Amino acid sequence: MVSLSNQTSFSFYPNNVFVSDKTRLGIPGINFPRKIKVKVTCFAADQPRQQKQQKKKKSQSTNSDAESGVDPVGFLTKLGIADRIFAQFLRERHKALKDLKDELLKRHFDLRDLASGFELLGMHRHMEHRVDFMDWGPGARYGAIIGDFNGWSPTENSAREGLFGHDDFGYWFIILEDKLREGEEPEELYFQQYNYVDDYDKGDSGVTAEEVFQRANDEYWEPGEDRFIKNRYEVPAKLYEQLFGPNSPQTLEDLGEIPDAETRYKQYKEEHKNDPPSNLPPCDIIDDGRGKPYDIYNVVTSPEWTKKFYEKSPPIPYWLETRKGRKAWLEKYIPAVPHGSKYRLYFNTPDGPLERVPAWATYVQPEDEGKQAYAIHWEPSPESAYKWKHTKPDKPKSLRIYECHVGISGSEAKISSFEEFTKKVLPHVKRAGYNAIQLIGIPEHKDYYTVGYRVTNFFAVSNRFGTPDDFKRLVDEAHGLGLLVFLDIVHSYAAADQMVGLSLFDGSNDCYFHHGKRGHHKHWGTRMFKYGDLDVFHFLISNLNWWITEYQVDGYQFHSLASMIYTHNGFAPFNSGFDDYCNQYVDRDALMYLILANEILHDLHPDIITIAEDATYYPGLCEPVSQGGLGFDYYVNLSATEMWVSLLDSVPDSEWSMSKIVSTLVANKEYADKMLSYAESHNQSISGGRSFAEILLGGVQNENKLLDRGVSLHKMIRLLTFTIGGRAYLNFMGNEFGHPERVEFPTQSNKFSFSLANRRWDLLESGIHHQLFSFDKDLMDLDKSKGILSRGLPSIHHVNDTNMVISFSRGPFLFIFNFHPSNSYEKYGAGVEEAGEYTMILNSDEAKYGGQGLLKEDQYLQRSISKRIDGQRNCLEVFLPSRTAQVYKLTRILRI
């Protein structure tokens, strides 16, 4: 039995239509159909051969992995971990990942195309005086765009299933034609295009398309070529006349018996051997039938003509010249969807009609005071659209991240804007010595009190802070100050809201999310993505690429990975070793999504930085994908801040364990270099907790002893966390100067008060908050000017639980901490490897930092003593007051 194996599903996206942009072909808006391959297969005869090919393919795949340096269990081998079950899980995951890539590439040209869904989906202006809209709703039967531009009519701009409006994958395609102004005539050219943004001022010269075409014929075509272009039948008619004469037969009966092709060809060549040169392509026809009952013909041309044909560039410049300018477009048409228009997506489903905010909308007004949410079409004129001014900063060797929330960044009791943040906060971040900002709550979210973690519209900038152009300006100004911009991205779950979010988007319960209990977070009431669905995968990957492409962000912190990696959302005991990371509760699809996300992002944007926030520390978080890892650049040490909060809240100062502090801060030694450390983040200030300053300094302003304790510990905790960890550090906005109050978003419980939803920047002017800021600024300078964090891992050689002293070195720098609440040490021995002179470059007890200033000036320079301590060949004997920390630098080496 013979069967034609060819895909019969109809799809305008993403299977067989490709819309290019300037980075691909240089011609935006051109549609190129994909090639259809028809394979003729005899199943009975081919079955043994197929089995052999499958075995050969499997063998080739294994060999290919080995040749390319891919080892699914490579990081286990590197670390000397021998867990057979987990290793098998990694191998199976690697095989499933390859199969997933194959499936994805059947529907997309390449991984870049997979990550660029925003180029087609959503609402886009097309050059042919129209607006194209596309969205995904496989459960709907009817789709339409309703908005203020069509009176919210569900019939005026619609697309019906089976009428080129709905493909077999559930994508709805709606065209909204611009309206001719009164008195204007329709276009003479069916495919007349306009420049809207790029070269928008070109095309209004008054030159007609006919004049451009005439010039193309005069300048582009060689003599004789244009004749055959104009009349495509002239060439075959002339050949027919040459073969059969001027009075050639007109029917098959008149034709009679025809000699075979080779005989006819030889006769023809003999008859025309003395003909003058022609502009026709010099083609030779070779019969390759070889005795078969049918002929196979190969058409062979001369190499010279073939080379000439391929070297001739297409007449695209002439075609581009036929485009008219923006001025001509506005004179002739009324835009179908003007800038700022409000709209929603209308679906008719088995359960009735629905109105939804489109999933790919880039600007949204959430529900407000009982008004239904809607999308806003953002298409400013080229003159008013934001234009980028600055280039991105280079990728730094170490990260000093300033974590921010735009809404609470102001001093007033209101929601602050992007504009206010740009003017007031960015200069402070630069002055404080940080080299990156990390923004929380940027994607649109319905409820302000959720801090931005229950995202409703993944491609939209939060409307409450400003416009898309306002956010572009923020990012651009940050880059101008040398600051990287990271987003706290939430792909681990989504808001359960239906009217503005993705829940029940097309009326079905399993569109973007899992069906049943698995589709809901066990504790937070949010929806869980179906990562194994190719269209959901496409949506999320495109979302990551969108923020980088459209807003030029420099990286992401992936929020709460445990929620997505495990079906129990991370709320389960982990006491079974590696089995906890590969048992039935692990969502392999979520892991493969994270792996491909890192692989694609780093391939498309080599300088991108990805940070994993995972409370379970999944094995291989920061290992390369090629070695079985997930491919993140950094991971967050969540244990550190939990430890500090526990010590401050419930453990007397004299009972603090130095060993526990060090082991928690260093965490996993194998990945210490990839660790992002922080003493406190927004979790302590926002998530129902208290900041360290509130714990240490709250209510003690009039008690000097308690105030000294609070100020000292605030500085020491930050200094130790900063210097003993990896190459990245994070601080939440305001904590660097000891913000005295927690953050409390307006909710019903506090009568929607904004009194605690702000930052007290006025405290920076004087007092202990100014002193704490001065210390934090000099702390950042340790890395900014001296490269502390990028000098490799610390060498920890002294941890004394009795004396409560910690000492370690990092390059030529020595760090000494005395956490004892009462004991000071006159000549405390601290080991150093190099003999020489050491100068104190930072002393937490200085008066300018709010300290007592107990050290004298001559004690800032120390000369080493030839005395072995803590495994080091030399030592320093330093005066170490209680609750103080000192940083020394080797300034002169002594040769003994």
Side-chain angles (χ1 to χ4, degrees), residues 749-760:
S749 62
N750 62 17
K751 299 180 181 180
F752 300 99
S753 170
F754 282 86
S755 61
L756 293 177
N758 51 46
R759 298 280 87 179
R760 298 276 307 278

Side-chain angles (χ1 to χ4, degrees), residues 594-794:
L594 292 173
I595 291 170
L596 265 185
N598 275 302
E599 185 176 346
I600 292 172
L601 287 179
H602 286 92
D603 181 58
L604 298 179
H605 313 282
D607 289 334
I608 200 72
I609 296 173
T610 59
I611 304 168
E613 182 194 82
D614 176 23
T616 69
Y617 302 108
Y618 194 87
L621 272 178
C622 295
E623 290 288 351
V625 170
S626 62
Q627 301 302 301
L630 301 189
F632 287 96
D633 297 298
Y634 296 92
Y635 77 96
V636 180
N637 182 1
L638 295 169
S639 303
T641 188
E642 295 174 1
M643 174 200 68
W644 288 124
V645 171
S646 174
L647 291 175
L648 292 174
D649 271 343
S650 55
V651 181
D653 293 0
S654 59
E655 296 179 14
W656 286 16
S657 169
M658 301 298 105
S659 300
K660 179 182 178 180
I661 290 174
V662 170
S663 63
T664 303
L665 293 178
V666 173
N668 194 331
K669 292 183 179 180
E670 288 80 6
Y671 300 117
D673 193 47
K674 300 281 189 177
M675 181 171 61
L676 184 152
S677 303
Y678 61 81
E680 53 179 337
S681 72
H682 70 272
N683 287 326
Q684 285 65 55
S685 299
I686 292 177
S687 303
R690 297 183 296 165
S691 69
F692 287 3
E694 190 172 6
I695 297 172
L696 291 168
L697 304 176
V700 302
Q701 280 74 10
N702 297 323
E703 300 182 38
N704 292 335
K705 189 174 182 180
L706 291 177
L707 183 61
D708 289 342
R709 169 188 178 269
V711 171
S712 298
L713 288 179
H714 191 275
K715 292 180 292 186
M716 293 182 67
I717 288 172
R718 305 178 81 79
L719 176 59
L720 180 58
T721 306
F722 179 74
T723 56
I724 203 173
R727 290 185 293 113
Y729 175 80
L730 179 144
N731 165 71
F732 180 66
M733 176 176 59
N735 289 346
E736 74 278 6
F737 63 83
H739 198 279
E741 300 165 344
R742 67 188 182 280
V743 175
E744 191 175 280
F745 281 78
T747 62
Q748 190 173 4
S749 62
N750 62 17
K751 299 180 181 180
F752 300 99
S753 170
F754 282 86
S755 61
L756 293 177
N758 51 46
R759 298 280 87 179
R760 298 276 307 278
W761 299 110
D762 58 297
L763 297 175
L764 281 169
E765 299 300 325
S766 61
I768 60 171
H769 299 287
H770 173 76
Q771 294 165 340
L772 290 176
F773 173 72
S774 297
F775 179 79
D776 193 83
K777 182 180 178 182
D778 289 348
L779 178 60
M780 294 303 107
D781 189 63
L782 286 179
D783 184 57
K784 181 180 178 181
S785 63
K786 300 176 177 61
I788 290 289
L789 301 186
S790 58
R791 289 184 176 272
L793 298 178

Side-chain angles (χ1 to χ4, degrees), residues 23 129 185 258 353 434 453 483 489 580 620 658 803-804 828 835-836:
T23 60
H129 51 85
E185 297 293 330
I258 302 176
Y434 292 83
Y453 285 114
L483 302 172
I489 200 78
D580 290 324
M658 301 298 105
N803 295 334
M804 300 184 68
Y828 198 91

Side-chain angles (χ1 to χ4, degrees), residues 15-33:
N15 262 39
N16 57 5
V17 171
F18 173 64
V19 176
S20 67
D21 60 17
K22 286 191 172 182
T23 60
R24 297 183 183 180
L25 293 173
I27 317 167
I30 305 176
N31 299 343
F32 291 88

Side-chain angles (χ1 to χ4, degrees), residues 417-523:
S417 65
F418 289 134
E419 183 179 0
E420 292 168 328
F421 183 92
T422 302
K423 290 180 179 179
K424 298 177 182 179
V425 180
L426 286 182
H428 168 78
V429 177
K430 177 66 175 179
R431 181 165 62 102
Y434 292 83
N435 62 2
I437 59 173
Q438 181 169 298
L439 298 171
I440 309 170
I442 295 301
E444 189 59 84
H445 48 288
K446 174 187 169 185
D447 299 314
Y448 185 51
Y449 70 86
T450 64
V451 196
Y453 285 114
R454 296 188 182 182
V455 178
T456 51
N457 309 95
F458 285 78
F459 289 83
V461 164
S462 182
N463 179 288
R464 56 178 59 87
F465 304 140
T467 68
D469 280 7
D470 291 338
F471 184 59
K472 288 182 180 179
R473 183 176 292 104
L474 186 158
V475 175
D476 198 21
E477 291 300 323
H479 287 164
L481 294 172
L483 302 172
L484 300 180
V485 180
F486 300 149
L487 295 188
D488 198 342
I489 200 78
V490 186
H491 280 188
S492 45
Y493 50 80
D497 188 86
Q498 298 176 22
M499 299 304 294
V500 65
L502 298 177
S503 188
L504 299 177
F505 183 71
D506 62 351
S508 62
N509 196 35
D510 56 354
C511 181
Y512 284 92
F513 308 110
H514 285 290
H515 189 77
K517 290 184 178 180
R518 191 176 173 189
H520 297 265
H521 195 287
K522 295 184 182 300
H523 298 279

